[in-house]
């Protein structure tokens, strides 16, 4: 049900098997449990999450990852978080509507990158080499590394490119998106260099 992907000094990162969009669980020593995307509610899954860390937050990179939000909030006792521009598109209660300068802890903050949806936002962990949860902002390319892939229904292609330019200054070893295919999806270490190279190709086209 939970598959550990990365073990870092102060936190472990898990993938919720079979979830679409992909859901991840960060068992963080300081923040507690952070569920990235809310999959369909399941009591057994909640028990598995609690076994590794008490759920404290549910972070929604976009409205696409909000499933059974009311049930998750009630059963897990966790606060929901989304970027302020995305909140109107989310079916359910958002407890913390974050802005550009908001931090969750001293080592976890947010990187707004609207474009796919109006308020798409990445979650950033700034220690242990760096980790980014991009939600739908990036997705695996042909080689499995996260890439910027335009779609006809994007909220703003211009915003997507502007946000991508900002990534060139980010340092991170691991990157996760709304698409995760075990055995194919690549997430790190070395994610910043891989993502940067793929962004360079897009920007040069």
């Amino acid at each position: 049900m939970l598959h550990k992907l990365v073990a870092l000094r102060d936190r472990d990162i898990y993938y919720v098997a079979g979830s679409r969009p992909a859901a991840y669980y960060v068992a963080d020593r300081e923040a507690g449990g952070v569920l990235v995307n809310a999959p369909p509610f399941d009591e057994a899954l909640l028990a598995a999450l609690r076994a590794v860390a008490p759920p404290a937050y549910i972070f929604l990179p976009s409205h696409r990852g909000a499933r059974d939000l009311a049930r998750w909030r009630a059963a897990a006792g966790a606060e929901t978080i989304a970027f302020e521009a995305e909140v109107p598109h989310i079916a359910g209660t958002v407890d913390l509507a974050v802005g550009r300068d908001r931090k969750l802890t001293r080592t976890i903050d947010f990187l707004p990158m609207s474009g796919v949806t109006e308020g798409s936002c990445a979650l950033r962990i700034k220690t242990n080499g760096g980790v980014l949860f991009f939600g739908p902002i990036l997705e695996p390319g042909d080689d499995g590394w996260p890439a910027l892939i335009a779609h006809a229904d994007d909220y703003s292609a211009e915003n997507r490119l502007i946000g991508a330019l900002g990534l060139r200054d980010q340092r991170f070893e691991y990157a996760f998106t709304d698409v995760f295919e075990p055995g194919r999806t690549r997430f790190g270490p070395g994610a910043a260099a891989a993502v940067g190279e793929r962004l360079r190709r897009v920007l040069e086209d």
Side-chain angles (χ1 to χ4, degrees):
M1 187 166 288
L2 287 181
H3 295 287
K4 185 183 290 188
L5 300 177
V6 181
L8 302 172
R9 187 179 62 219
D10 298 321
R11 56 190 59 90
D12 294 329
I13 298 171
Y14 298 82
Y15 165 61
V16 178
S19 52
R20 294 175 184 263
Y24 305 92
Y25 197 56
V26 183
D28 186 89
R29 184 175 299 176
E30 184 177 359
V34 182
L35 181 62
V36 180
N37 281 326
F41 180 77
D42 181 86
E43 289 281 2
L45 174 58
L46 177 56
L49 299 179
R50 284 177 168 154
V52 296
Y57 301 101
I58 301 169
F59 172 67
L60 304 170
S62 78
H63 66 272
R64 299 177 182 180
R67 307 285 184 89
D68 294 341
L69 208 54
R71 295 188 68 187
W72 277 110
R73 288 179 71 249
E79 293 184 294
T80 51
I81 307 171
F83 186 54
E84 54 194 1
E86 193 72 0
V87 172
H89 306 289
I90 293 172
T93 299
V94 175
D95 299 292
L96 299 174
V98 298
R100 291 184 178 275
D101 299 323
R102 181 68 182 264
K103 292 183 178 181
L104 186 61
T105 71
R106 60 187 177 81
T107 61
I108 301 176
D109 64 4
F110 307 96
L111 192 64
M113 294 180 63
S114 64
V116 181
T117 66
E118 184 174 5
S120 304
C121 183
L123 179 76
R124 176 172 57 180
I125 298 172
K126 297 190 290 184
T127 57
N128 303 131
V131 183
L132 279 168
F133 293 91
F134 283 109
I137 297 164
L138 301 180
E139 62 189 272
D142 292 340
D143 61 359
W145 281 111
L148 183 69
I149 301 174
H151 295 279
D153 62 349
D154 285 347
Y155 173 76
S156 171
E158 181 180 6
N159 284 0
R160 293 201 72 185
L161 286 174
I162 292 171
L165 286 171
L167 284 176
R168 294 184 297 183
D169 299 325
Q170 299 296 322
R171 295 181 180 180
F172 53 98
E173 287 295 326
Y174 301 93
F176 301 94
T177 75
D178 272 2
V179 177
F180 189 88
E181 300 177 15
R184 176 183 178 274
T185 298
R186 303 173 72 179
F187 53 86
V195 171
E197 173 60 22
R198 281 141 196 82
L199 290 175
R200 183 189 64 77
R201 296 173 192 169
V202 171
L203 294 170
E204 288 180 352
D205 286 345

